[in-house]
Amino acid sequence: MILKALRYGWLLAAFWSMLAGAAEPALQGTGDLGIIIERSAGRVAIVDTSRNAILGRVGNLGDLSHASAVFSRDQRYAYLFGRDGGLSKVDLLRKVVEKRIVQSGNSIGGAISQNGRLIAVANYKPGGLKIFAADSLDLLADLPAAYGDGKRSKVVGIADLPGQRFIYSLFDADQIWIADLSDLKAPRVEKFPDIGRAPYDGLVTPDGRYYLAGLFGEDGIAMLDTWQPQAGVQRILANYGRGEQPLPVYKMPHLRGWAVAGHQVYLPAIGRHEVLVADTVNWRETARIPVRGQPVFVIARPDGRQVWVNFAFPNNGFVQIIDTLTRQVIHTLEPGKAVLHLEFTPRGEAVWVSARDDNKVLIYDTARFAKIAELSLENPSGIFFTARAQRIGF
Amino acid sequence: MILKALRYGWLLAAFWSMLAGAAEPALQGTGDLGIIIERSAGRVAIVDTSRNAILGRVGNLGDLSHASAVFSRDQRYAYLFGRDGGLSKVDLLRKVVEKRIVQSGNSIGGAISQNGRLIAVANYKPGGLKIFAADSLDLLADLPAAYGDGKRSKVVGIADLPGQRFIYSLFDADQIWIADLSDLKAPRVEKFPDIGRAPYDGLVTPDGRYYLAGLFGEDGIAMLDTWQPQAGVQRILANYGRGEQPLPVYKMPHLRGWAVAGHQVYLPAIGRHEVLVADTVNWRETARIPVRGQPVFVIARPDGRQVWVNFAFPNNGFVQIIDTLTRQVIHTLEPGKAVLHLEFTPRGEAVWVSARDDNKVLIYDTARFAKIAELSLENPSGIFFTARAQRIGF
């Protein structure tokens, strides 16, 4: 009787263990994973850059137009920032949404702190920054972008800085702010006013030193040396913008797409069929490279030898490659309809390109420009690889 | 009878599944893992930089003096290069040696190709380069460092270059070679002779462009611009070396330890109590910073704002921190006896320091220089984090 009970007990335990075991995904490293936004479906595809394959999909993520993502420092989780104010934590190994909150009415991206413990979301409505715990998504701090007479500004161009800090721009208030969350009980905000009209996006250089905000309301770029904030915000590249004879702008370029190669920065001209080159030592313009259309993303291959460029409508079927030694376009690709984004593998041997209206992501060998693989996705837009977890300013 | 057989069949299957399930480690990301060499024990500790903890140990790895490691592109496996010619593939998740071969009599490090498929080992004896498949460790190519009249040179200073290429120096032959393995059936080797006497170590800049080889036999550094190899090897920093009044050198500095911060490179003076600074735009010396002893490793925090330096005997209990904005030593630490190595977390909020003769690894907050944690290890030496998988030239 006892034996029998033991035996059945074993059987039951073993059976449950089997079921549980079957549900447990196989062990794998996470250094070669990534996600691709399937915008219209409110879904992400989890991908593997070693096998050039889609490993699975995770849905019910809300409005993913203009969505972006950051990764946990162990590279297991993706944090997605949706346009609808949604913040979702996706487990890349179990392929599930571990948690999802709607934290504002309208948001435009976010960042993860240097130590990986804080997620910051830049909100349009209500305007401000919210800070969440990376593990639980509990709200830890709320920093309204208040200015003037009780108004609140849209927040744009957020990036992480060393120390548990975030830097961002106030579109309506013409300001740059740095929030320091190293003491969560007493967050400090340093404010830089009158930086120029209507900053619309921003970035930090790969070393986390310089913050640059593009201005929608006037020409030039606002630049803050975060190592010497006492020097204040300077205006650089005075000719950057629509210039004296404004051209129609089909799509504002993304500043995140700027490329730093060696000590030169490559940036999309606004409205013009040009990529601008500037020296990061003195922040002066050094060259203008004619390209096929109005550039949107201008991204350096990780070694800086090539810069890849995609374009606004009607040239959004092309991608051009600039050689940074000769500063000339050396190749033109036609990956498909509506090329929205591209992402290099961490060491740059390949690049993934999303062609939204062809429902494809194309993978190219960056040495020979040969197509290696093609994946089917529903209206793919942003592509984000886990290597971002280990970089500053992403 | 059938039922009974079925039941016992189930039981057996379930039982095996349980056993297997119990042995299966928990799912985890691999972006925050690393290994620390426990040299005298021939063992590595697997560590987690989020929890500041040792997750386990893997032994039977042979002679690990002067051992180094690279990581698979999924960041699951470490490849260890032992002094005894051993090449070991360690699974960081299962914490086992997946495969180990002894591929030469004496080796001095290795590298992993850009696409992650090839492991290259630099051998002293017999002198040359061997190429192995990253998955199986099968030998794919053997490239003897043959020169002169049937002689073979020791190979030193190996690093990966974009494309499936490796660059290295021939200590006995005064040459730099670049091996191109993009076609495994027909490897190509490009040779640069007469680069200066006795290159003893080398590195590539973080963008993979410049290769620099330190010379044991004369002053100065041999430099090759791999984007313009037709320009040949140039001699830079003519005063680098022991100089006109040679000082006793207690330990040759590691070139891998050089730091590029912004467009300045920080390098250990040989035999002198100085860190040298040179401009990577024109390769001229721009400063000399007095430090506590003969520098061994000179390593930049990932954002380039700080450079950390350890020293040869008798000053090997100190670590000094240089601020790269003011170019002055801003702090001195005494982590413990015989500080051999240090490694920053990927985004630089912390640094791990091995104090061999105190059997400790100390973890410091790089913003405040406060000790965060201390781990017990047996004669720890090299510390290697998985983020190296995603960088060029490591």
Side-chain angles (χ1 to χ4, degrees):
Chain A
M1 186 67 190
I2 289 170
L3 261 175
K4 202 165 183 184
L6 268 177
R7 180 195 296 160
Y8 279 96
W10 265 106
L11 187 64
L12 206 66
F15 187 62
W16 278 115
S17 162
M18 272 184 74
L19 283 180
E24 193 72 1
L27 281 182
Q28 68 174 105
T30 52
D32 55 355
L33 302 184
I35 60 166
I36 301 176
I37 311 283
E38 292 188 291
R39 178 150 82 169
S40 52
R43 197 169 61 194
V44 297
I46 296 170
V47 297
D48 177 326
T49 67
S50 296
R51 287 183 273 169
N52 293 331
I54 296 171
L55 303 183
R57 285 181 159 89
V58 177
N60 295 312
L61 294 168
D63 179 0
L64 293 183
S65 49
H66 213 279
S68 64
V70 297
F71 294 92
S72 61
R73 84 190 286 293
D74 63 357
Q75 301 185 329
R76 174 171 179 174
Y77 300 98
Y79 298 92
L80 263 101
F81 307 102
R83 194 56 191 263
D84 56 1
L87 169 60
S88 307
K89 182 180 181 183
V90 173
D91 183 340
L92 304 181
L93 291 177
R94 291 193 196 281
K95 304 181 187 70
V96 294
V97 181
E98 181 160 297
K99 189 155 184 187
R100 175 172 161 77
I101 59 174
V102 175
Q103 53 81 45
S104 81
N106 193 334
S107 78
I108 192 67
I112 184 164
S113 64
Q114 185 187 32
N115 66 6
R117 296 200 192 122
L118 308 175
I119 303 291
V121 191
N123 285 317
Y124 269 19
K125 197 187 284 181
L129 199 71
K130 281 188 180 173
I131 309 292
F132 299 89
D135 52 2
S136 63
L137 298 193
D138 289 346
L139 182 67
L140 298 178
D142 190 351
L143 304 169
Y147 74 104
D149 226 6
K151 287 178 283 187
R152 288 179 74 159
S153 171
K154 292 188 187 77
V155 170
V156 299
I158 185 170
D160 59 278
L161 289 182
Q164 312 325 315
R165 296 182 301 158
F166 299 99
I167 189 164
Y168 48 101
S169 294
L170 279 60
F171 178 80
D172 307 297
D174 303 339
Q175 298 188 24
I176 293 171
W177 286 11
I178 297 176
D180 183 338
L181 281 300
S182 52
D183 180 359
L184 276 171
K185 287 172 206 136
R188 284 174 303 157
V189 177
E190 194 174 3
K191 301 175 184 180
F192 301 85
D194 303 322
I195 62 146
R197 297 232 15 235
Y200 74 94
D201 200 0
L203 61 64
V204 295
T205 47
D207 57 3
R209 176 168 181 177
Y210 298 101
Y211 180 73
L212 298 102
L215 301 173
F216 191 74
E218 54 191 295
D219 278 359
I221 285 167
M223 190 270 276
L224 178 67
D225 178 355
T226 68
W227 290 12
Q228 303 182 87
Q230 69 282 4
V233 174
Q234 298 161 54
R235 187 70 57 85
I236 59 167
L237 303 176
N239 297 322
Y240 185 75
R242 278 183 283 183
E244 291 162 26
Q245 296 164 300
L247 294 171
V249 178
Y250 293 105
K251 185 178 169 75
M252 285 304 280
H254 282 253
L255 293 200
R256 295 303 171 98
W258 288 15
V260 176
H263 58 101
Q264 302 284 327
V265 61
Y266 288 72
L267 52 153
I270 299 177
R272 294 177 192 282
H273 293 200
E274 288 173 341
V275 167
L276 272 55
V277 189
D279 191 318
T280 61
V281 177
N282 57 23
W283 294 104
R284 297 229 177 91
E285 186 181 312
T286 48
R288 290 185 173 227
I289 301 165
V291 289
R292 182 84 191 213
Q294 294 186 1
V296 177
F297 281 102
V298 173
I299 306 183
R301 198 172 70 172
D303 67 342
R305 179 63 194 268
Q306 296 174 356
V307 166
W308 289 54
V309 188
N310 75 333
F311 303 99
F313 180 85
N315 298 107
N316 58 353
F318 297 99
V319 166
Q320 287 194 308
I321 297 118
I322 295 167
D323 177 296
T324 59
L325 189 62
T326 61
R327 293 190 183 158
Q328 293 188 337
V329 171
I330 53 166
H331 202 79
T332 300
L333 293 169
E334 292 187 63
K337 288 183 207 143
V339 171
L340 287 197
H341 196 220
L342 47 95
E343 176 99 333
F344 289 92
T345 54
R347 288 164 75 194
E349 73 279 12
V351 64
W352 292 43
V353 179
S354 58
R356 183 193 60 196
D357 296 350
D358 272 344
N359 297 300
K360 291 195 292 207
V361 163
L362 303 108
I363 306 172
Y364 292 94
D365 169 344
T366 64
R368 286 181 295 271
F369 312 122
K371 190 165 72 179
I372 305 167
E374 194 178 302
L375 304 173
S376 288
L377 289 103
E378 195 178 327
N379 300 134
S381 53
I383 306 172
F384 305 92
F385 295 152
T386 54
R388 288 172 174 249
Q390 302 180 330
R391 294 192 177 150
I392 296 166
F394 271 85
Chain B
M1 188 66 191
I2 290 170
L3 259 176
K4 203 166 179 182
L6 268 177
R7 181 195 296 160
Y8 280 95
W10 264 107
L11 188 63
L12 205 66
F15 187 64
W16 280 115
S17 162
M18 270 182 76
L19 284 181
E24 193 72 1
L27 282 182
Q28 68 174 104
T30 51
D32 54 356
L33 302 184
I35 61 166
I36 301 176
I37 311 285
E38 290 186 295
R39 179 151 77 167
S40 52
R43 195 168 62 193
V44 297
I46 297 169
V47 297
D48 176 327
T49 68
S50 296
R51 287 184 273 170
N52 293 331
I54 296 171
L55 302 183
R57 284 181 161 89
V58 176
N60 296 313
L61 294 168
D63 179 0
L64 293 183
S65 52
H66 213 279
S68 64
V70 298
F71 295 92
S72 60
R73 80 188 293 290
D74 64 357
Q75 300 185 329
R76 174 173 178 170
Y77 301 96
Y79 298 91
L80 263 99
F81 307 102
R83 193 56 191 260
D84 56 1
L87 169 60
S88 307
K89 181 179 180 183
V90 173
D91 183 341
L92 304 181
L93 292 177
R94 292 194 196 277
K95 303 179 187 70
V96 295
V97 181
E98 183 161 296
K99 188 153 187 189
R100 174 171 163 77
I101 58 173
V102 175
Q103 54 81 45
S104 82
N106 193 336
S107 79
I108 191 69
I112 183 163
S113 65
Q114 185 186 33
N115 66 8
R117 295 198 194 124
L118 309 175
I119 304 291
V121 190
N123 286 317
Y124 268 18
K125 198 185 284 179
L129 198 71
K130 282 189 179 173
I131 309 291
F132 300 89
D135 52 3
S136 63
L137 299 191
D138 288 347
L139 181 68
L140 298 178
D142 189 352
L143 305 170
Y147 73 104
D149 226 6
K151 289 178 282 187
R152 286 178 73 158
S153 170
K154 293 190 187 77
V155 170
V156 298
I158 184 170
D160 58 278
L161 288 182
Q164 313 325 315
R165 296 181 302 159
F166 300 98
I167 187 164
Y168 48 101
S169 293
L170 277 60
F171 178 81
D172 307 296
D174 304 340
Q175 298 190 22
I176 293 171
W177 286 12
I178 297 176
D180 183 337
L181 281 301
S182 53
D183 180 359
L184 277 170
K185 285 172 208 138
R188 283 174 303 156
V189 177
E190 194 174 3
K191 302 175 185 181
F192 301 86
D194 303 322
I195 63 146
R197 296 232 14 237
Y200 73 94
D201 200 1
L203 61 63
V204 295
T205 48
D207 58 3
R209 176 169 181 176
Y210 298 101
Y211 180 73
L212 297 100
L215 300 174
F216 191 74
E218 53 190 299
D219 279 358
I221 286 167
M223 190 270 277
L224 178 66
D225 177 355
T226 68
W227 291 11
Q228 302 180 91
Q230 69 283 3
V233 174
Q234 299 161 54
R235 186 71 56 88
I236 59 167
L237 303 174
N239 297 321
Y240 185 75
R242 279 182 282 184
E244 292 164 25
Q245 296 165 299
L247 294 169
V249 177
Y250 294 106
K251 186 177 168 75
M252 285 304 280
H254 281 254
L255 294 198
R256 295 302 171 101
W258 288 14
V260 176
H263 57 100
Q264 302 284 328
V265 62
Y266 288 71
L267 53 151
I270 298 176
R272 293 176 192 282
H273 293 199
E274 287 173 342
V275 167
L276 272 54
V277 189
D279 191 318
T280 60
V281 177
N282 57 24
W283 295 104
R284 297 231 175 89
E285 186 182 313
T286 49
R288 289 184 175 228
I289 302 166
V291 288
R292 182 83 190 216
Q294 294 185 1
V296 177
F297 280 102
V298 173
I299 306 183
R301 197 172 71 173
D303 67 341
R305 179 63 193 269
Q306 296 173 356
V307 166
W308 289 52
V309 188
N310 75 334
F311 304 99
F313 180 85
N315 299 108
N316 58 354
F318 297 99
V319 167
Q320 288 194 307
I321 298 119
I322 296 167
D323 177 296
T324 58
L325 189 60
T326 61
R327 292 189 185 161
Q328 293 187 338
V329 172
I330 53 165
H331 201 79
T332 300
L333 292 169
E334 292 189 63
K337 288 182 209 142
V339 171
L340 286 198
H341 196 218
L342 47 93
E343 175 99 334
F344 289 92
T345 55
R347 287 164 75 194
E349 72 280 10
V351 64
W352 292 43
V353 180
S354 59
R356 184 194 60 197
D357 294 350
D358 273 344
N359 297 300
K360 290 195 293 205
V361 164
L362 303 107
I363 307 172
Y364 292 94
D365 169 344
T366 64
R368 287 181 293 273
F369 311 122
K371 190 165 74 180
I372 305 167
E374 196 177 299
L375 304 173
S376 288
L377 288 104
E378 195 177 328
N379 299 135
S381 54
I383 306 174
F384 305 92
F385 295 152
T386 54
R388 288 171 176 250
Q390 302 180 333
R391 294 193 178 146
I392 297 165
F394 271 86

